[in-house]
Amino acid sequence: MDTAPSSEVHDFQAPFQERMHDPRDPDPSLASYLDTSLPLNPQVRAALLQDLELFSRRVLHRIFRPVGIFAIVVIGILKIFIPRAFTSSPLLHKLIHWGLEYFVAPPSNFLILRHFHVGSEILAFIAANAPVQVPTNPIRPKFLKDVEQEIFLNHDLNLYNFIIRLNTALQSENTHLHPPKRLNFDMITDGPFDIAPLPRRWTNFIDLSSAIEVYTPLYQLFLTERDFRRAYHSLQLDETIAIYVARLLGDSTHLALVNNRHPLVPDSAFRSAKRLVLHGLASEALHALLVHHKRQQKELDARGLEASGHGLISMWKAPPPGES
């Protein structure tokens, strides 16, 4: 997919490009910004680092976290006795939109909106290259107000529905995922996504992790217990999706980048904030890997060479003799 805007609306790199290196006092953020061992879009890397440097992440997060854990415990007990009380996904998403609009910082909002585009394109890549037909339901928010279309809940539903439909079709046709003769990267955007300018009020100061600590108890309160459990268990589908991509690429090296492990061993909701950020990081890394392979396929095409699932060279392996 190459229809994204020609220029990046959100530039988070500038502050890091202007930083000087002092060997006597090296800057950890500068080191992480310059380190490219993990494949990431440069704006995403810079946004993540800006998010970590926010005052709320450095100071207030240590307050938000224990309060959030306490709220999860209290709401969990409350839900035992009145499981359907307060349940309202539309109201939840209106509250999330209001919080993002007025309190969450620009780099954090940027990462949140990007995540839906990235997730949709990864699932579309698997569907387009699978040997069976699998429908997808892409979510591509441009404005923060698009959150009110219940996109957080639908994002979780999309993941589980996709996995069920894919594996049902594979088993029905007695086949499996494997590298196709030619990989289809048409759905992978090589460039910025269509995300509108984000609010920069003086009140927009909350970092991503702190926002998640606040939203997790609200998620638990306004969703059914089943929806809530599905939401935090979905964070451990990173490995599952990465395995699907590995089978299509014919290369499993990138599986070492996955930190949220298999859903057969579910983790606690108390760690949702960190795991959700890791989920976003894993998705961005996987998307960056697909962008790398899309570019590589274009280069091979330009040279008149055949590019297939097995033909694309892993970005962590040296090219064969005679190849650049």
Side-chain angles (χ1 to χ4, degrees):
M1 187 172 185
D2 297 304
T3 58
S6 59
S7 61
E8 180 65 80
V9 174
H10 310 92
D11 184 11
F12 301 102
Q13 294 182 268
F16 298 100
Q17 293 172 340
E18 298 169 358
R19 293 191 186 184
M20 302 299 293
H21 171 49
D22 181 359
R24 296 170 298 178
D25 184 22
D27 183 349
S29 293
L30 180 60
S32 295
Y33 174 73
L34 295 174
D35 173 39
T36 57
S37 58
L38 181 71
L40 280 179
N41 177 285
Q43 294 293 352
V44 169
R45 189 187 306 276
L48 281 166
L49 291 169
Q50 279 197 27
D51 179 82
L52 289 174
E53 292 184 338
L54 292 171
F55 173 79
S56 70
R57 183 63 179 86
R58 293 182 289 106
V59 178
L60 300 181
H61 183 259
R62 65 191 69 177
I63 300 173
F64 287 128
R65 177 163 168 71
V67 171
I69 291 175
F70 177 74
I72 290 173
V73 173
V74 172
I75 295 171
I77 295 173
L78 180 68
K79 285 284 189 176
I80 294 175
F81 300 100
I82 44 175
R84 294 283 175 176
F86 311 109
T87 301
S88 175
S89 177
L91 177 57
L92 169 66
H93 285 81
K94 285 182 182 295
L95 289 173
I96 293 177
H97 169 227
W98 177 75
L100 297 179
E101 182 73 33
Y102 291 99
F103 297 105
V104 176
S108 314
N109 277 329
F110 172 74
L111 293 169
I112 290 170
L113 291 186
R114 258 192 70 98
H115 180 69
F116 296 103
H117 291 266
V118 165
S120 294
E121 293 195 356
I122 292 173
L123 294 187
F125 171 80
I126 298 170
N129 292 283
V132 293
Q133 295 293 317
V134 187
T136 60
N137 182 30
I139 300 175
R140 292 187 171 278
K142 178 177 181 178
F143 305 98
L144 288 176
K145 188 171 178 58
D146 294 338
V147 167
E148 294 190 12
Q149 298 173 13
E150 301 184 64
I151 64 176
F152 285 93
L153 179 62
N154 290 331
H155 176 64
D156 300 331
L157 296 177
N158 281 352
L159 278 171
Y160 282 103
N161 286 331
F162 180 82
I163 290 172
I164 291 171
R165 289 165 179 163
L166 171 65
N167 286 280
T168 299
L170 289 172
Q171 293 170 24
S172 175
E173 299 191 21
N174 194 27
T175 186
H176 61 278
L177 292 176
H178 55 81
K181 184 175 181 181
R182 178 180 175 82
L183 285 163
N184 181 354
F185 292 101
D186 290 346
M187 74 300 298
I188 300 299
T189 299
D190 184 2
F193 294 116
D194 188 13
I195 297 175
L198 298 164
R200 294 179 177 271
R201 304 177 183 88
W202 68 270
T203 56
N204 291 107
F205 71 98
I206 300 296
D207 66 281
L208 182 59
S209 294
S210 296
I212 297 169
E213 297 288 5
V214 173
Y215 285 135
T216 301
L218 290 177
Y219 223 76
Q220 184 183 22
L221 179 64
F222 288 106
L223 294 182
T224 65
E225 180 63 21
R226 185 174 178 84
D227 285 338
F228 180 63
R229 283 190 291 107
R230 181 170 52 230
Y232 69 79
H233 285 173
S234 72
L235 302 177
Q236 292 179 255
L237 292 174
D238 293 343
E239 186 174 54
T240 303
I241 298 300
I243 290 172
Y244 294 163
V245 173
R247 290 175 178 172
L248 294 172
L249 293 178
D251 176 25
S252 61
T253 315
H254 64 272
L255 293 179
L257 303 177
V258 180
N259 289 293
N260 285 327
R261 294 300 178 179
H262 208 276
L264 288 178
V265 186
D267 208 335
S268 167
F270 296 146
R271 299 181 61 244
S272 293
K274 182 175 181 178
R275 290 169 54 234
L276 189 51
V277 176
L278 286 173
H279 167 62
L281 182 66
S283 299
E284 287 286 0
L286 188 56
H287 188 269
L289 175 68
L290 294 177
V291 170
H292 163 80
H293 283 308
K294 178 175 184 172
R295 292 174 180 176
Q296 187 182 74
Q297 183 166 271
K298 283 186 176 180
E299 292 176 4
L300 291 173
D301 288 344
R303 294 161 58 185
L305 300 175
E306 183 178 359
S308 68
H310 286 297
L312 295 175
I313 302 167
S314 168
M315 63 189 301
W316 289 280
K317 296 178 183 177
E323 297 289 338
S324 57

